[in-house]
Amino acid sequence: MEDLVTPRQVAKAIDVSESSVKRWCDRGIIPSVKTAGGHRRIPISSVMTYLRSTSQPLVSPEVLGLPAAVGRTAWVLTRARDEVVKSLLAGDEIKTRQILFDLWLGGRSIAVIGDEVIAPAFEKIGEGWSCSEVDIYQERRAVEIMLRILFELRLGTPPGDPGRIAIGGTTSGDNYSLPTTLVEVVLQAAGWTARSMGSSVPPQSFAAAIEHTQPRLFWLSVSASQSPEEFLEGLALIEQACQKTGTKLVIGGAGSLPMRERFSSGVQVCSNMGELSDLATRLAAESSPPAEL
Amino acid sequence: MEDLVTPRQVAKAIDVSESSVKRWCDRGIIPSVKTAGGHRRIPISSVMTYLRSTSQPLVSPEVLGLPAAVGRTAWVLTRARDEVVKSLLAGDEIKTRQILFDLWLGGRSIAVIGDEVIAPAFEKIGEGWSCSEVDIYQERRAVEIMLRILFELRLGTPPGDPGRIAIGGTTSGDNYSLPTTLVEVVLQAAGWTARSMGSSVPPQSFAAAIEHTQPRLFWLSVSASQSPEEFLEGLALIEQACQKTGTKLVIGGAGSLPMRERFSSGVQVCSNMGELSDLATRLAAESSPPAEL
DNA sequence: CCCAAAATGATCGATTTGACCGATTTTGAC
DNA sequence: GTCAAAATCGGTCAAATCGATCATTTTGGG
């Protein structure tokens, strides 16, 4: 796990000449730093960003210390989803990572990957589970694998503005940690410093977290359909805290849709990661006017 | 807090060789002082100045955070634990990562870090929670932060032998994902290909996973004390599957200790990560005779 | 199709870096 | 205080990188 690599390593990894890499560094196309002696050192995240922007294939990821089998194929979203379901059920972390990283390096946003691949894949796995084609351990293992991959993607995304803080999670009774983790990564990609507080947090504790952290954004991921009354009661507490601190409150997830009419007007509802990403980008632009160079 | 660090620490922190740091010190690029015996000591401010001058990112700022931690005394671990508790409660992911990576780079095994720092830290947080000094969101947030750090440590550990597979997790009713994830990382560090299946998996599903995956090792992490009868009943199913596939069964965690007399003789019990690491290393050596070069 | 501009890849001497080693200093434990 | 282990020292040397130059390939118009 190296963070800084040399031009030669990058050249080998993406199969171009060393000269080109050096030129790109000097022109700022690949942001890099120099040692005291003038040698270039390139952060892996710079390489990732460059690859994403040009849709270049990563030929030899192992040279960068990245897990093997990252980057090669151009995937169609629907096809990718089916393959992800297959490799997740087989417990094949390598294959799953390959597919998702290929999509990501191919320039797709995490939000799109979430909406078009990850969410439908787990929906499918959930279906298979309910008609007992899928064993519980397969579903749990799939969640674990996806969590690891999401964290790796998060490492490849530049950290957000430390002044734009977002927190969130799921309330009591909701144990699905995957969606709220996905939200965290999506928000970081949108320039936020986001941290999920995990799942099954009581509303009053969320309220305390909001008042203590004073985030600009708070998200609630509602996966399972739960008792609307109980949820709305807890939501009131959270809303109150948000108003006190001037925090924008965002709710999403399948479980929230049946109740969306009963939310008060200040609450923003997102039905997928794409909407959330747009909203987050808009909020970020509002709060801090476009910085000039 | 000491603000003088050694060339080695600086080298690790900014990801260059020790030789380079020494050269730069001698050339005055990084102002340093010398001890009576001629060893270089570098003020952290010098390093900061150098980094600013090259606009270089601090690759492992953790190393500069706690210079004392490369020492060997027990109080360092104790001190680290207290610091970890503090930064976890504050939700400071950076600081927590600093401390743990510092210990790790200082040569301590993940097992030791787990036993001496992570486990006692969460025990302490749990105490604070039960006497309501700690809010629930702080505990949940701490778990999330530690999970991310564990995954990063896992990325930094070389992948294990693909032929030595270990799986495991927690049974129904046990929602603590942290210990089983820690086990995964410890086993990988011991040369295994380990995958946690997550928490709250029914015993019969574990049995299916064992028969399907045929691992050489299966672990059960028992955090909460649960009904012994129910647990032992589920355990019987798992044990049966292990016997069928020749899988070694290992149980650990505070919740398992009160019942350890009632386990059958084939079951191995580990009371901490150190024991588990030793056992895993022993098993690995047994099953595959020492490969010669 | 042809040509010029731009991008890429290859090469070379000078410099930097990283690894190594025996000697010395520092550190932690007793 | 004493002692052994660990860390650091200073120096050497091979390998990697630098910057600059030049040949080759690709791109984009007319």
Side-chain angles (χ1 to χ4, degrees):
Chain A
M1 182 189 55
E2 352 178 26
D3 216 20
L4 291 178
V5 293
T6 66
R8 168 172 295 190
Q9 287 178 284
V10 175
K12 282 207 172 134
I14 64 183
D15 196 25
V16 294
S17 74
E18 217 174 304
S19 299
S20 294
V21 176
K22 290 198 283 185
R23 253 190 304 266
W24 295 339
C25 287
D26 293 344
R27 277 197 248 161
I29 297 176
I30 300 181
S32 62
V33 296
K34 289 203 174 186
T35 66
H39 284 201
R40 287 173 259 264
R41 290 294 123 91
I42 307 166
I44 287 197
S45 59
S46 294
V47 183
M48 297 284 210
T49 308
Y50 169 75
L51 289 175
R52 260 169 68 71
S53 69
T54 62
S55 301
Q56 281 206 30
L58 185 54
V59 178
S60 310
E62 63 277 1
V63 180
L64 299 182
L66 294 172
V70 169
R72 252 232 143 75
T73 339
W75 289 90
V76 187
L77 286 173
T78 50
R79 166 83 196 277
R81 189 231 303 163
D82 295 342
E83 289 291 318
V84 162
V85 170
K86 221 162 49 172
S87 53
L88 277 178
L89 288 180
D92 190 340
E93 176 172 344
I94 309 276
K95 184 74 186 293
T96 311
R97 182 194 290 124
Q98 181 192 347
I99 299 169
L100 293 181
F101 266 79
D102 280 344
L103 289 170
W104 188 69
L105 288 173
R108 318 252 181 194
S109 71
I110 306 228
V112 166
I113 296 175
D115 284 332
E116 306 293 334
V117 180
I118 301 178
F122 276 90
E123 208 170 306
K124 200 136 198 164
I125 291 176
E127 283 170 22
W129 171 77
S130 60
C131 61
S132 65
E133 283 166 8
V134 174
D135 208 323
I136 300 179
Y137 82 87
Q138 290 177 293
E139 190 261 350
R140 296 293 154 84
R141 185 174 59 185
V143 169
E144 293 290 311
I145 290 175
M146 191 56 75
L147 272 181
R148 282 153 181 72
I149 294 174
L150 281 179
F151 287 142
E152 287 179 40
L153 283 172
R154 176 170 172 269
L155 286 177
T157 310
D161 185 337
R164 255 197 312 267
I165 294 178
I167 64 174
T170 78
T171 49
S172 335
D174 189 340
N175 275 311
Y176 293 87
S177 54
L178 205 47
T180 183
T181 304
L182 182 54
V183 167
E184 179 181 305
V185 182
V186 166
L187 287 179
Q188 175 164 327
W192 290 72
T193 300
R195 168 94 7 93
S196 169
M197 316 286 267
S199 44
S200 239
V201 180
Q204 49 270 38
S205 191
F206 265 142
I210 291 169
E211 292 184 28
H212 194 264
T213 314
Q214 309 229 342
R216 295 250 269 277
L217 187 97
F218 181 86
W219 78 85
L220 263 186
S221 164
V222 191
S223 299
S225 55
Q226 42 186 291
S227 145
E229 275 65 35
E230 201 178 327
F231 178 80
L232 290 168
E233 191 181 323
L235 182 60
L237 280 172
I238 294 174
E239 222 177 322
Q240 207 174 334
C242 281
Q243 273 173 353
K244 213 180 296 181
T245 56
T247 301
K248 188 84 183 173
L249 176 57
V250 186
I251 300 183
S256 70
L257 297 184
M259 322 185 246
R260 62 184 302 171
E261 270 76 31
R262 301 171 63 180
F263 295 153
S264 62
S265 62
V267 177
Q268 192 79 36
V269 180
C270 290
S271 52
N272 59 42
M273 293 295 154
E275 282 183 22
L276 173 67
S277 180
D278 290 346
L279 173 65
T281 310
R282 209 161 51 242
L283 281 177
E286 267 177 31
S287 51
S288 64
E292 48 222 275
L293 299 178
Chain B
M1 175 69 67
E2 191 61 67
D3 70 338
L4 290 178
V5 293
T6 66
R8 167 174 296 196
Q9 288 176 289
V10 175
K12 276 187 176 166
I14 64 182
D15 197 20
V16 294
S17 72
E18 216 175 305
S19 300
S20 294
V21 176
K22 291 195 284 184
R23 250 191 309 267
W24 297 342
C25 286
D26 295 344
R27 274 199 253 161
I29 296 176
I30 299 180
S32 61
V33 296
K34 288 209 173 185
T35 66
H39 283 201
R40 299 176 187 82
R41 287 299 120 89
I42 307 165
I44 291 186
S45 60
S46 293
V47 184
M48 293 303 183
T49 307
Y50 165 73
L51 289 175
R52 248 198 308 281
S53 74
T54 59
S55 69
Q56 204 172 115
L58 205 51
V59 174
S60 304
E62 48 274 10
V63 182
L64 299 179
L66 268 193
V70 290
R72 290 266 174 275
T73 33
W75 75 265
V76 174
L77 286 173
T78 319
R79 163 91 192 269
R81 189 235 299 165
D82 293 342
E83 290 290 320
V84 162
V85 170
K86 223 163 49 177
S87 53
L88 278 177
L89 288 180
D92 190 340
E93 176 173 345
I94 311 274
K95 183 73 186 295
T96 311
R97 186 193 290 121
Q98 270 182 11
I99 301 167
L100 294 181
F101 266 79
D102 191 17
L103 292 171
W104 188 64
L105 289 172
R108 291 178 206 271
S109 71
I110 308 225
V112 167
I113 298 176
D115 284 331
E116 306 293 335
V117 180
I118 302 179
F122 276 90
E123 208 170 307
K124 200 136 195 163
I125 292 176
E127 283 171 22
W129 171 77
S130 59
C131 60
S132 65
E133 284 166 9
V134 174
D135 209 326
I136 300 181
Y137 83 87
Q138 291 178 292
E139 190 261 352
R140 295 294 154 83
R141 184 174 61 182
V143 170
E144 293 289 311
I145 289 174
M146 191 55 75
L147 272 180
R148 283 151 180 72
I149 295 174
L150 282 179
F151 287 145
E152 287 180 40
L153 281 172
R154 177 170 172 270
L155 284 176
T157 310
D161 184 336
R164 251 193 319 262
I165 294 177
I167 64 174
T170 79
T171 48
S172 338
D174 188 340
N175 275 312
Y176 293 87
S177 54
L178 206 47
T180 183
T181 304
L182 181 55
V183 168
E184 180 182 306
V185 182
V186 166
L187 287 179
Q188 177 164 325
W192 291 72
T193 299
R195 171 101 46 253
S196 168
M197 316 288 267
S199 44
S200 239
V201 180
Q204 49 269 38
S205 191
F206 265 143
I210 292 168
E211 292 183 25
H212 194 266
T213 314
Q214 309 228 340
R216 295 249 269 276
L217 186 96
F218 180 86
W219 78 83
L220 262 185
S221 163
V222 191
S223 298
S225 54
Q226 42 186 294
S227 143
E229 275 65 33
E230 202 178 324
F231 177 80
L232 290 168
E233 193 181 322
L235 181 60
L237 280 172
I238 293 174
E239 221 178 322
Q240 208 173 340
C242 282
Q243 273 173 352
K244 214 183 291 182
T245 57
T247 302
K248 189 83 185 175
L249 176 55
V250 184
I251 300 183
S256 70
L257 296 185
M259 318 185 249
R260 63 183 304 171
E261 269 75 33
R262 299 171 63 180
F263 296 154
S264 61
S265 62
V267 178
Q268 193 79 36
V269 180
C270 291
S271 53
N272 59 41
M273 294 296 156
E275 282 182 21
L276 173 66
S277 180
D278 290 346
L279 174 64
T281 309
R282 209 161 49 241
L283 281 176
E286 267 177 28
S287 51
S288 64
E292 47 223 275
L293 300 176

